[in-house]
Amino acid sequence: MTFALIFLLPLLGSLARWKGLPPGYGDFPALKVEEDPGFSLIYFTLACVVAVVIALVLIFPRWFGFKRGGQRQASAASKTNPGFPVWFWWSLPVLAVCWFLMWARIDVLVSIEAYTFVPLWWSFILMLDGLVYRRNGGVSIISRKPHLMQLLAVVSCFSWFAFEYLNFFVMENWYYPNNKVFSNFGNIFWFSLSYTTVLPAIVEWYHLLRTFPSVRERYRNGPKLQTGTAFLVIFYIAGLVLAFGMGYYPYVLFWVLWVALVPMLSAAMALAGYWTPFTPVRNGDWSKVILIALATLLNGFFWEFWNFGSEWFHDSIPTNPNYWKYSVPYLDKLHIFSEMPLLGYYGYLFFGVNCWIMWLIAAYVFKFDPDIELEEEHN
């Protein structure tokens, strides 16, 4: 029921606002339908204050009640040096070739560039898995839980379609100007393949961060957040209100797209007795929720980096169907080799938590194992 409300409430808010469906609703891939309200110094300043607070918590956690924890003794397996697995070496040339083709635009190979996004990202995922394997004593998703990678890919595809749906109600915060590279069916097929890469990449970054003991322990001993039923109900209702408001005030509340799922779904799951990334926070362990956020931020750099370069060097002929641009109201300032404004990167922190919650929802509904952890990381 709660999961259905994610799709229903923004729709109801939008119907109340527009007396019908919002402009551009249903176009796939999403297109820019109207100009956003432009820059707002007040909105930008408030967002900067929030960004500074978040940065301080991440950089100086001890200022906010986190205590220095002793690093755990490494297991015997993790002390071994297994070397890089074969799939790491296979992924490197594929990654290099796809990156080159995406950016270089060689005239005789222009038609191939349209097909570089999926192999580039899957080779990057395999490379990350190889790094985890090397640092984690031969333990990684591919080596120990290949079925997990398959499930992550499937859930990733459907989850990102959900975000594309919600994007209509904030007036297309991101859109795809190269929508004519493929046919309508080609777009649906190719973008479906592209969406399979989101969760696997984030989870691989999460595991890679956990191979660094100093990072893994940094946020493990923090303030204990005991949440009673009343708090969870209030948190849940706040999420419902924000979800409706996102459809009714698409510009003022555009950021709810990244935030509303957290209070709605995590509170509902906690009230139902399910585990969420926030469950360990009751004992002061913030590491899971913070590391998944940081993992997504790190991956976000590569999303934006490769995306920007795919058009920056050659914008005369659209060839990358996955290329996206942003229409972010009030905050569209300070771009550093990226279509994404600098403040927009903070959205990745929340997006990572959303992704984990969406994964858990899928696991609980379809009755498969939701555990994404690896054995050596428990030691």
Side-chain angles (χ1 to χ4, degrees):
M1 178 61 181
T2 297
F3 191 70
L5 290 175
I6 295 172
F7 303 98
L8 180 60
L9 287 172
L11 176 61
L12 293 177
S14 187
L15 289 173
R17 168 67 184 272
W18 304 105
K19 311 304 180 186
L21 296 173
Y25 180 87
D27 289 335
F28 186 83
L31 302 173
K32 187 174 182 178
V33 293
E34 62 179 54
E35 293 295 328
D36 60 63
F39 180 73
S40 167
L41 182 59
I42 295 177
Y43 210 108
F44 183 80
T45 302
L46 291 174
C48 285
V49 171
V50 174
V52 168
V53 172
I54 293 174
L56 290 175
V57 172
L58 296 176
I59 299 171
F60 305 105
R62 296 185 67 186
W63 293 3
F64 299 87
F66 287 84
K67 299 177 182 178
R68 189 187 303 275
Q71 293 186 6
R72 299 186 178 185
Q73 184 69 26
S75 68
S78 63
K79 292 178 182 177
T80 63
N81 181 0
F84 291 105
V86 64
W87 56 87
F88 174 85
W89 299 112
W90 290 347
S91 68
L92 294 182
V94 177
L95 177 64
V97 169
C98 290
W99 186 353
F100 176 77
L101 290 175
M102 181 180 281
W103 281 20
R105 183 161 295 182
I106 301 172
D107 290 342
V108 296
L109 299 175
V110 163
S111 60
I112 301 177
E113 183 185 331
Y115 302 96
T116 54
F117 184 93
V118 173
L120 181 145
W121 271 99
W122 271 111
S123 61
F124 185 61
I125 290 165
L126 292 176
M127 187 197 75
L128 290 173
D129 190 88
L131 290 171
V132 173
Y133 180 97
R134 169 68 174 77
R135 292 188 50 83
N136 203 34
V139 177
S140 71
I141 296 178
I142 296 296
S143 68
R144 297 293 177 87
K145 291 185 174 183
H147 64 283
L148 173 61
M149 186 67 79
Q150 297 166 3
L151 285 170
L152 284 168
V154 172
V155 175
S156 176
C157 177
F158 288 99
S159 296
W160 188 254
F161 268 113
F163 279 100
E164 292 286 354
Y165 166 80
L166 294 174
N167 185 37
F168 290 128
F169 301 107
V170 289
M171 306 305 292
E172 290 76 28
N173 277 180
W174 67 91
Y175 59 97
Y176 305 89
N178 295 347
N179 66 312
K180 299 299 184 183
V181 174
F182 293 145
S183 65
N184 289 336
F185 175 80
N187 280 325
I188 294 173
F189 178 78
W190 182 251
F191 277 79
S192 297
L193 292 178
S194 302
Y195 296 164
T196 64
T197 65
V198 178
L199 263 65
I202 292 172
V203 174
E204 288 288 5
W205 273 108
Y206 170 78
H207 289 309
L208 184 58
L209 288 176
R210 285 179 59 81
T211 65
F212 295 89
S214 60
V215 177
R216 192 173 65 240
E217 303 297 325
R218 185 177 181 84
Y219 307 104
R220 194 186 292 274
N221 192 12
K224 297 180 180 180
L225 183 61
Q226 299 293 336
T227 55
T229 301
F231 175 87
L232 291 174
V233 170
I234 293 172
F235 204 52
Y236 175 67
I237 293 174
L240 298 179
V241 173
L242 287 173
F244 177 86
M246 178 180 72
Y248 196 85
Y249 298 107
Y251 293 122
V252 176
L253 296 179
F254 73 92
W255 49 270
V256 171
L257 173 59
W258 308 111
V259 177
L261 296 186
V262 175
M264 282 180 63
L265 293 181
S266 62
M269 291 165 67
L271 288 169
Y274 290 110
W275 187 92
T276 77
F278 295 98
T279 301
V281 173
R282 299 172 184 172
N283 297 319
D285 184 0
W286 293 74
S287 62
K288 295 184 183 299
V289 68
I290 291 180
L291 289 189
I292 199 69
L294 291 175
T296 313
L297 178 61
L298 289 170
N299 200 65
F301 168 80
F302 289 92
W303 273 324
E304 302 301 336
F305 174 71
W306 280 321
N307 178 65
F308 186 78
S310 72
E311 291 296 311
W312 177 254
F313 302 110
H314 36 66
D315 57 1
S316 57
I317 303 175
T319 59
N320 177 16
N322 297 89
Y323 173 69
W324 63 87
K325 294 177 70 68
Y326 291 98
S327 180
V328 182
Y330 311 126
L331 305 179
D332 196 8
K333 293 289 183 182
L334 302 178
H335 295 255
I336 301 177
F337 201 61
S338 169
E339 295 291 352
M340 170 79 81
L342 189 59
L343 280 175
Y345 280 94
Y346 281 87
Y348 279 123
L349 296 170
F350 298 96
F351 176 57
V353 182
N354 285 332
C355 285
W356 200 345
I357 291 175
M358 296 283 276
W359 162 260
L360 291 170
I361 289 288
Y364 296 146
V365 170
F366 294 102
K367 309 298 182 184
F368 60 80
D369 185 2
D371 187 12
I372 66 170
E373 306 294 349
L374 299 172
E375 301 96 293
E376 292 305 316
E377 296 173 340
H378 292 296
N379 294 320

